[in-house]
Amino acid sequence: MNKIVGNFINKKIQICSEENFEQVKTKVLDKVDYVVLVRNNTPIKIFPVENGKITEALCIVHFLVGKENMEIDLEKYRGEVYLVMDNDEIKGVVTFKEIYCYLMNDLKAIEREFELVKTDLEAFMACSEDLACITDGTGRKIRISSSAERIYGLKPEDFIGKNVAELEKNGVYFPSATKMAIEEKRKVTVIQRTKTGKKLLVTAIPFFDEKNNIKRIVSISKDITDEEKLKAELKETKALLRKYEEELISLRAVHMKNSELIYRSKQMEKLVELVNRVAPTDSTILIYGETGVGKEVLARYIHNISRSGNAFIKINCGAIPENLLEAELFGYEKGAFTGARSEGKPGLIEVADKGTLLLDEISELPLSLQVKLLRVLQEKEFIRVGGVKPIKVDVRIIAASNKDLRELVKEGKFRQDLYYRLNVVPVTIPPLRERVQDIPVLAYHFLNMYNEKYGRSKQLTNEVMEVFMKYPWPGNVRELENVIERVVIISENDQITKKDLPWELLDQGEINHSFGVHVSRLMPLKEATALVEYQLIKQAIEECGSSYKAAEILGVDQSTIIRKLKKYESTFL
């Protein structure tokens, strides 16, 4: 039986019962192709209509339209006409010729598709560098790619028909991934050795039929004979690239030595582009950023673009007592207050005339002085303490803050009018942890600077740079600079390693590994802290050779080392 799937062209039909069949026969049936005789609504015969007249009756065979179960015995009913039905409803008729043509077209389409698949498969197996192989469910090889000769030393045709168990037994290769996949009924990956001395990574994948029997196994073999050699070459290449990168960064740091801004990140690049557009003007700039990000460095960079050659004055508004800050900023006339100079004194605003005044930590400026500063910004003039005559100044004000002035305005701790005067061009310097690309170039810049300052030739190892890249740098650029200066001074060798770094840069696991610090049992936290401190002190003295060097590395006084050592020895020994 052949299955016929699909809808066929319906013919025009006339349905009639046995009672009116004779009457229908006498009519001229020029508009129909067939007459279907029914009995009790059941078709019993089909009559073709030729030249408007009914001819002899034909055999009736039912099959469904649009279903997957349309079957017909082509040998038995060859040359017949068949009634097309669907759920007891007559749809039409179809001839054997139409069925045959349908089947032939479908078969040709299948053959064309098969040839395309076969061509694709052969192309894949021929062009792939890896060895591809297909076996049947018993492990007998059906197809194998041409790379078999290069890998196994045998031509592809030598494998066809051979069983994988036989090839394994004869030592062509071992073990057989296909054999293991058949036995275990799952995907298998193994390292295989061949008779020719090759080392292969083989993956065998079984494919099952509806009864869970293995029909085919596809295996892919990758030649990894030179894997170790490639790994070594890759490692060497990476090391070489790292060396070139370090040299490039170092050269860039030297090139940028006379520049005040050292950066490589996209964030800083965009920030500098903005600053370069604003710096030539006299606009007030408000620099935001955490402590140590380089707010003063950026302010000096702006000054050198716009007012180079004139004074650059910085004052930290939070570092000077409030009762002295006014005199420092605005100056005073003689006799203005007790202890004042007899000749008076100019303030920093006056000293910065024609230049730039950086007001660091502007958020700490008292409200009483904010009014006077606002006048400087608006009128370009001020009055000394104890004076009555306004003094004109041409000074560019740059403010810096690590606090959000908008929030301080809401809290009533900062004047709103002054905030808007300062916030003409706000610039935020991102923290170092958010621009890790800048860490290497800054590190090498500071390394070159302190090597030159102290007459050293220190170098940073890869492990140190890895620590630098992972550390969050809460103190930002200033902390990085301090760390570099410290290791340049205290490291004993030219190669700076992790053991030369401050403890806070290393995570606890690295500290424990480096110094063998451990707590072997549960104990109160106070006792555990003391034990760890004792182990660190002992290990530091052993590695450094003296309590002085140990104290320097641990960041305490030598007397503290001796005192704690005696205390802990009496406790733990």
Side-chain angles (χ1 to χ4, degrees):
M1 299 288 285
N2 295 311
K3 284 191 176 184
I4 304 173
V5 182
N7 292 311
F8 296 98
I9 300 173
N10 294 330
K11 302 295 187 299
K12 295 178 182 178
I13 60 174
Q14 172 71 49
I15 300 173
C16 68
S17 62
E18 290 180 300
E19 292 78 14
N20 60 9
F21 180 66
E22 291 300 324
Q23 185 178 2
V24 170
K25 285 175 62 176
T26 60
K27 291 182 178 181
V28 177
L29 304 174
D30 56 350
K31 294 183 179 180
V32 299
D33 299 301
Y34 296 94
V35 173
V36 178
L37 182 65
V38 299
R39 180 186 298 158
N40 297 327
N41 294 324
T42 301
I44 56 176
K45 287 185 180 180
I46 302 175
F47 295 90
V49 176
E50 294 181 2
N51 300 322
K53 294 183 179 181
I54 294 176
T55 61
E56 70 277 6
L58 300 175
C59 179
I60 293 178
V61 178
H62 296 176
F63 66 97
L64 299 178
V65 174
K67 307 292 183 180
E68 291 188 359
N69 295 323
M70 300 189 303
E71 296 183 348
I72 189 164
D73 189 339
L74 298 182
E75 294 299 326
K76 182 176 179 181
Y77 298 110
R78 198 175 187 86
E80 299 288 354
V81 176
Y82 306 103
L83 185 63
V84 179
M85 305 214 32
D86 185 13
N87 295 329
D88 296 329
E89 181 181 353
I90 299 173
K91 295 293 184 180
V93 295
V94 63
T95 65
F96 172 80
K97 182 178 180 182
E98 290 170 333
I99 295 173
Y100 180 80
C101 292
Y102 175 85
L103 288 175
M104 288 301 102
N105 289 337
D106 197 41
L107 181 60
K108 287 178 181 177
I110 293 172
E111 288 177 348
R112 287 194 298 270
E113 189 66 28
F114 175 76
E115 287 299 322
L116 287 173
V117 172
K118 181 181 176 183
T119 302
D120 290 345
L121 178 61
E122 289 175 348
F124 166 74
M125 297 185 75
C127 71
S128 175
E129 292 257 341
D130 298 335
L131 175 71
C133 180
I134 302 174
T135 66
D136 63 15
T138 67
R140 185 176 61 86
K141 291 192 180 291
I142 300 172
R143 285 182 178 276
I144 190 167
S145 56
S146 57
S147 53
E149 188 169 3
R150 173 176 57 82
I151 292 175
Y152 293 118
L154 298 172
K155 294 180 179 180
E157 51 266 29
D158 295 333
F159 286 92
I160 303 303
K162 301 285 181 64
N163 194 282
V164 293
E166 176 188 353
L167 294 168
E168 183 186 64
K169 184 178 179 180
N170 294 335
V172 176
Y173 50 71
F174 182 86
S176 169
T178 299
K179 180 184 173 184
M180 295 170 67
I182 293 173
E183 293 171 349
E184 301 176 21
K185 286 195 170 186
R186 65 178 181 86
K187 176 182 173 181
V188 173
T189 299
V190 298
I191 299 295
Q192 185 182 89
R193 305 255 178 203
T194 73
K195 194 174 183 178
T196 56
K198 299 282 187 181
K199 185 179 180 182
L200 309 177
L201 179 65
V202 185
T203 298
I205 306 170
F207 293 88
F208 301 87
D209 60 17
E210 60 274 8
K211 296 181 180 179
N212 203 35
N213 296 318
I214 296 177
K215 294 292 292 181
R216 293 286 187 271
I217 300 97
V218 176
S219 66
I220 303 295
S221 304
K222 185 175 185 64
D223 189 354
I224 57 172
T225 307
D226 298 327
E227 181 182 13
E228 296 303 321
K229 181 182 177 182
L230 290 173
K231 283 183 178 179
E233 290 177 354
L234 180 60
K235 186 177 180 181
E236 184 179 340
T237 302
K238 284 184 176 179
L240 190 60
L241 287 174
R242 178 66 180 175
K243 180 182 177 183
Y244 288 153
E245 183 182 13
E246 289 176 359
E247 290 178 358
L248 181 60
I249 293 173
S250 181
L251 288 171
R252 184 178 296 174
V254 172
H255 176 70
M256 299 174 70
K257 185 176 179 182
N258 295 324
S259 174
E260 294 174 81
L261 299 181
I262 308 296
Y263 63 91
R264 191 169 64 173
S265 64
K266 291 293 183 182
Q267 299 98 310
M268 288 300 295
E269 186 177 319
K270 290 181 180 179
L271 184 146
V272 173
E273 286 177 0
L274 171 63
V275 168
N276 285 336
R277 291 197 299 271
V278 177
T281 69
D282 285 331
S283 297
T284 303
I285 298 177
L286 176 58
I287 304 175
Y288 283 110
E290 296 179 3
T291 299
V293 294
K295 297 189 287 293
E296 181 181 348
V297 174
L298 184 61
R300 191 177 292 276
Y301 176 81
I302 295 168
H303 166 77
N304 287 342
I305 292 177
S306 59
R307 302 198 173 201
S308 179
N310 296 304
F312 176 84
I313 305 297
K314 173 198 171 185
I315 183 169
N316 190 316
C317 300
I320 301 174
E322 183 176 346
N323 60 334
L324 299 179
L325 184 58
E326 183 178 11
E328 284 292 323
L329 274 174
F330 300 98
Y332 55 85
E333 298 290 353
K334 60 181 179 178
F337 52 85
T338 303
R341 292 179 182 177
S342 58
E343 70 277 13
K345 179 186 176 183
L348 295 179
I349 294 176
E350 194 172 344
V351 174
D353 188 32
K354 307 299 182 188
T356 303
L357 176 64
L358 171 62
L359 297 173
D360 198 10
E361 294 189 35
I362 187 70
S363 58
E364 305 302 319
L365 187 68
L367 287 169
S368 59
L369 298 185
Q370 291 181 23
V371 179
K372 297 191 71 173
L373 178 61
L374 183 61
R375 181 177 181 180
V376 174
L377 291 169
Q378 290 179 334
E379 309 297 334
K380 297 295 183 181
E381 66 178 25
F382 68 97
I383 299 175
R384 286 183 178 182
V385 176
V388 293
K389 181 181 178 181
I391 300 173
K392 287 286 184 179
V393 288
D394 175 18
V395 60
R396 180 174 198 168
I397 301 292
I398 298 178
S401 176
N402 57 11
K403 295 180 181 178
D404 190 343
L405 296 187
R406 289 172 298 181
E407 294 300 320
L408 295 179
V409 169
K410 292 178 183 178
E411 296 171 8
K413 297 178 181 179
F414 201 87
R415 291 182 62 94
Q416 188 178 49
D417 48 5
L418 178 59
Y419 166 70
Y420 287 122
R421 277 292 178 181
L422 293 173
N423 197 51
V424 177
V425 181
V427 174
T428 301
I429 304 177
L432 192 54
R433 63 182 173 275
E434 293 180 7
R435 47 185 176 105
V436 292
Q437 285 179 307
D438 291 338
I439 293 175
V441 68
L442 284 166
Y444 283 108
H445 167 73
F446 294 134
L447 182 69
N448 289 333
M449 185 172 71
Y450 287 112
N451 271 336
E452 184 176 332
K453 180 177 180 179
Y454 297 113
R456 308 289 172 86
S457 57
K458 306 291 184 177
Q459 293 180 341
L460 298 174
T461 57
N462 292 343
E463 62 177 9
V464 168
M465 191 56 68
E466 288 175 4
V467 173
F468 284 177
M469 298 297 280
K470 293 177 182 177
Y471 183 62
W473 298 106
N476 292 292
V477 180
R478 185 182 299 137
E479 183 183 9
L480 174 61
E481 180 179 358
N482 292 342
V483 167
I484 295 295
E485 182 178 13
R486 176 176 175 176
V487 295
V488 167
I489 294 171
I490 69 171
S491 60
E492 296 178 354
N493 302 313
D494 284 345
Q495 293 290 322
I496 298 172
T497 62
K498 280 202 290 191
K499 70 180 181 62
D500 299 313
L501 297 178
W503 298 111
E504 59 267 22
L505 266 67
L506 306 175
D507 62 34
Q508 192 60 47
E510 289 177 319
I511 294 174
N512 290 346
H513 176 74
S514 300
F515 278 83
V517 177
H518 66 281
V519 178
S520 58
R521 60 181 174 83
L522 291 176
M523 61 181 69
L525 284 175
K526 187 175 180 180
E527 185 180 346
T529 302
L531 178 59
V532 171
E533 195 173 47
Y534 171 60
Q535 292 176 12
L536 280 172
I537 291 171
K538 277 190 63 180
Q539 194 71 27
I541 292 174
E542 289 175 10
E543 291 206 10
C544 298
S546 73
S547 59
Y548 290 97
K549 289 185 178 179
E552 189 177 10
I553 286 181
L554 296 178
V556 296
D557 295 332
Q558 189 263 351
S559 59
T560 303
I561 292 289
I562 299 300
R563 177 174 53 80
K564 286 182 177 289
L565 195 60
K566 288 180 179 180
K567 174 186 174 182
Y568 293 145
E569 282 179 347
S570 63
T571 303
F572 298 112
L573 295 181

